[in-house]
């Protein structure tokens, strides 16, 4: 199956930018996602990018996609303590018998220090 | 309701017992997914429903796991003869368009 890799931990100071990186294996994936999980909560869809895009910006969030290197990143500008959470990268299986499956990385624990 | 709901939020059971986990998707969402999240891991796909049928059951880890969906709405995931390795958070998601899945809060299952 698809393999999604991301670093496990990131610590930043409040007000700095955070960059969370992810690599994936399925070059045919048409959608790639970032989900946020706060302690004891389910997953919140933060943003997603279609594969024909290089960049998507949504307020403090910027997603960059490098299809050649199969690399996805999430940049959070002006990081706040409320951004502390686990961030999951995921790619969508969008063909064949696995259509609709999301393949997730293990998650990056973002800690924001005041 | 406005989002996906799951019940119970927590379930503690003894090894060998059967458990049922329930998911109420967002109204009108035709697709429903079950995932499992073990401690410190990403989510692992279990099963997908389109309407009431399950075209993809290949993620179910053993024949002790089964799921059904009725009325294109509620789904139940059943685990028979639970084992300690079944301890995890079980997450349900629903979608109208297959590319946008919305997750419930999960059921934390602990098998003693």
């Amino acid at each position: 199956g698809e393999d999604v890799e991301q670093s496990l931990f990131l610590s930043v100071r409040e007000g700095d930018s955070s960059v969370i990186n992810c690599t994936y294996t399925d070059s045919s994936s048409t959608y790639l996602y970032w989900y946020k999980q706060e302690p004891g909560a389910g997953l919140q869809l933060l943003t997603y990018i279609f594969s024909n895009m290089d960049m998507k910006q949504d307020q403090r969030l910027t997603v960059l996609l490098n299809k050649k290197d199969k690399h996805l990143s999430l940049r959070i500008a002006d990081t706040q303590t409320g951004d502390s959470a686990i961030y999951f990268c995921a790619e969508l299986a969008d063909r064949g018998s696995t259509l609709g499956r999301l393949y997730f990385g293990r998650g990056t624990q973002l800690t924001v220090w005041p | 309701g406005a989002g996906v709901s799951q019940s119970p939020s927590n379930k503690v059971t003894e090894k060998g017992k059967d458990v049922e986990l329930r998911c109420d998707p967002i109204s009108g969402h035709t697709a429903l997914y079950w995932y499992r999240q073990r401690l410190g891991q990403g989510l692992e796909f279990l099963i997908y429903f389109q309407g009431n049928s399950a075209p993809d059951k290949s993620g179910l880890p053993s024949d002790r796991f089964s799921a059904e969906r009725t009325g294109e709405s509620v789904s139940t995931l059943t685990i028979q003869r639970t084992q300690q390795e079944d301890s995890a958070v079980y997450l349900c998601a629903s979608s109208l368009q297959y590319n946008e899945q919305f997750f419930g809060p999960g059921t934390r299952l602990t098998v003693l």
Side-chain angles (χ1 to χ4, degrees):
Chain A
E2 280 74 359
D3 197 14
V4 179
E5 299 283 343
Q6 42 182 139
S7 54
L8 296 182
F9 302 99
L10 177 65
S11 293
V12 300
R13 285 206 174 275
E14 192 173 24
D16 288 349
S17 291
S18 309
V19 179
I20 303 171
N21 295 300
C22 169
T23 57
Y24 60 97
T25 56
D26 186 358
S27 59
S28 64
S29 289
T30 52
Y31 291 94
L32 295 128
Y33 301 81
W34 287 103
Y35 281 85
K36 177 183 180 182
Q37 186 178 41
E38 294 179 275
L43 269 68
Q44 174 194 353
L45 177 60
L46 276 182
T47 186
Y48 63 92
I49 188 167
F50 190 57
S51 61
N52 67 353
M53 299 168 67
D54 297 324
M55 184 180 85
K56 180 179 179 181
Q57 188 152 4
D58 183 3
Q59 300 182 339
R60 292 189 298 121
L61 305 179
T62 303
V63 178
L64 294 177
L65 175 61
N66 181 328
K67 282 196 74 176
K68 175 175 169 291
D69 295 338
K70 298 180 200 166
H71 183 267
L72 183 74
S73 68
L74 174 69
R75 179 177 181 268
I76 306 173
D78 187 25
T79 315
Q80 303 297 306
T81 54
D83 294 324
S84 291
I86 300 175
Y87 291 81
F88 290 94
C89 171
E91 62 172 336
L92 180 71
D94 61 350
R95 63 190 61 199
S97 62
T98 58
L99 174 67
R101 287 195 194 192
L102 285 172
Y103 290 91
F104 285 84
R106 291 178 62 188
T108 299
Q109 171 72 62
L110 173 64
T111 303
V112 183
W113 301 98
Chain B
V4 178
S5 60
Q6 294 185 243
S7 61
S9 53
N10 279 285
K11 176 73 177 177
V12 180
T13 190
E14 292 179 348
K15 179 180 170 182
K17 301 279 191 186
D18 298 351
V19 295
E20 280 190 356
L21 312 179
R22 176 187 167 111
C23 172
D24 283 87
I26 294 172
S27 178
H29 280 194
T30 54
L32 186 148
Y33 310 81
W34 283 97
Y35 292 86
R36 176 170 73 175
Q37 184 180 24
R38 289 175 158 155
L39 188 65
Q41 303 294 316
L43 276 71
E44 174 189 4
F45 170 83
L46 296 178
I47 189 169
Y48 153 56
F49 287 92
Q50 182 60 44
N52 291 336
S53 65
D56 189 357
K57 301 181 184 178
S58 60
L60 294 177
S62 78
D63 58 8
R64 296 186 295 104
F65 286 72
S66 62
E68 64 175 20
R69 188 179 185 196
T70 55
E72 295 197 356
S73 180
V74 172
S75 176
T76 303
L77 177 69
T78 302
I79 309 173
Q80 295 178 308
R81 305 181 302 282
T82 51
Q83 303 295 311
Q84 287 183 331
E85 64 261 27
D86 300 333
S87 295
V89 176
Y90 289 82
L91 289 150
C92 173
S94 71
S95 69
L96 184 59
Q97 304 288 338
Y98 75 93
N99 61 318
E100 203 165 316
Q101 296 179 26
F102 295 91
F103 282 80
T107 293
R108 181 174 298 278
L109 175 66
T110 304
V111 182
L112 301 177

